[in-house]
Amino acid sequence: MTTGHQPPLRVLAVDDVPAALQDLCGLLREAPEVGEVVPAGDAVAALKRLRSEEFDAVFLDIAMPGLDGLEFAGLLTKLARPPVIVFVTAYDEHAVAAFGIGAVDYLLKPVRAERLADALTRVGRMVTLDPAEAVPSVPTGPTVSATPQEAPDALAALPVESAGRTRYVRRQDVRFVEAHGDYVRLHAHSGVHLVRMPISRLEEYWAKAGFVRAHRGFLVALSAVRELRSDSVGGLLAHTDLGDVPVSRRHARQLRERLLRAAQRGELRAEGAGGAKGAKGSAP
């Protein structure tokens, strides 16, 4: 809802499918936060409007001919006063790239009114920020947004689609990750969540956040490891409160060393620190 301090939003809607563009414009015009909606049938037409006009936000599709939505969004970030970016698409596999560019939300078609309202709330927050602070951040839930300092960390939360609903699984809630073909399973207290992304790609993004490769098919959060233990056949397991993660001989040494350093810095739970130190001395 608009306030006296925030004028109605001026929005550019971009989609190459006429029916989809009409539906999106209709939803935006019904929103009380929006004052004007300008449609554009492709990225080139949208760029022409942006050269001569200013918009608070751009709601755009990804799969478009010529210049696709991700490429177009990359150009927007180079503008002196870039609009806030929200993606509206039928495909969930581009969410990681979208948030990496700086989108504040990622809506799946058909767009539900309540999800659009959430997106417009985030847009309104960004528009009212001081320009020097208005760095897009990844939404981590319906009422939580990252601070400007956290904004470059585009994968602090991953969007998960289930039964037509989008929820965000926070990285800090994930204990370990299991490879599943072109997908990964995120093991968290909220359940096991399937995300379309190779485990090698996720490892690149989450390595600096303390996720370590324990096995060809597993990543484990250092902070989640309570102890290292042997299984019935002499293999090594990293024990977490959500289950045991297999540790291959190839990755055992690095995992032990990382656990020991984390324990020395006080970054592990008390029981995890003891397990890490003990495992270092008993490594096969």
Side-chain angles (χ1 to χ4, degrees), residues 2-16:
T2 59
T3 68
H5 300 289
Q6 180 180 322
L9 300 171
R10 191 163 191 264
V11 178
L12 179 63
V14 189
D15 199 312
D16 66 304

Side-chain angles (χ1 to χ4, degrees), residues 137-224:
S137 59
V138 179
T140 57
T143 59
V144 180
S145 61
T147 64
Q149 289 77 14
E150 295 168 335
D153 189 359
L155 294 188
L158 290 177
V160 175
E161 289 296 320
S162 178
R165 296 183 177 182
T166 302
R167 65 182 303 179
Y168 294 93
V169 179
R170 295 183 301 173
R171 182 180 56 213
Q172 67 187 57
D173 296 331
V174 177
R175 298 297 184 264
F176 62 93
V177 180
E178 180 183 2
H180 187 66
D182 292 333
Y183 291 78
V184 290
R185 289 192 177 108
L186 308 178
H187 291 258
H189 279 290
S190 56
V192 179
H193 309 281
L194 196 64
V195 175
R196 186 181 177 87
M197 180 188 298
I199 194 169
S200 58
R201 179 68 59 83
L202 188 60
E203 181 184 13
E204 293 176 12
Y205 289 117
W206 281 11
K208 292 183 179 179
F211 278 77
V212 177
R213 184 69 72 108
H215 185 277
R216 182 180 64 178
F218 288 86
L219 298 176
V220 65
L222 290 174
S223 61

Side-chain angles (χ1 to χ4, degrees), residues 89-126:
T89 177
Y91 307 99
D92 62 355
E93 62 262 34
H94 302 294
V96 171
F99 288 131
I101 289 173
V104 299
D105 213 334
Y106 190 95
L107 308 181
L108 288 178
K109 300 176 181 178
V111 179
R112 295 178 289 113
E114 57 268 32
R115 282 291 290 118
L116 182 65
D118 287 343
L120 287 170
T121 296
R122 296 190 178 100
V123 169
R125 290 172 183 161
M126 297 304 298

Side-chain angles (χ1 to χ4, degrees), residues 28 88 220:
L28 287 167
V88 184
V220 65

Side-chain angles (χ1 to χ4, degrees), residues 262-282:
Q264 291 170 339
R265 292 193 298 265
E267 296 173 358
L268 300 183
R269 302 174 186 179
E271 61 269 37
K277 292 178 182 179
K280 172 126 178 118
S282 57

Side-chain angles (χ1 to χ4, degrees), residues 249-264:
R249 288 183 176 272
R250 176 183 177 184
H251 297 95
R253 180 175 179 177
Q254 180 191 19
L255 178 60
R256 287 193 185 95
E257 291 176 350
R258 291 287 302 274
L259 283 168
L260 180 60
R261 290 198 297 267
Q264 291 170 339

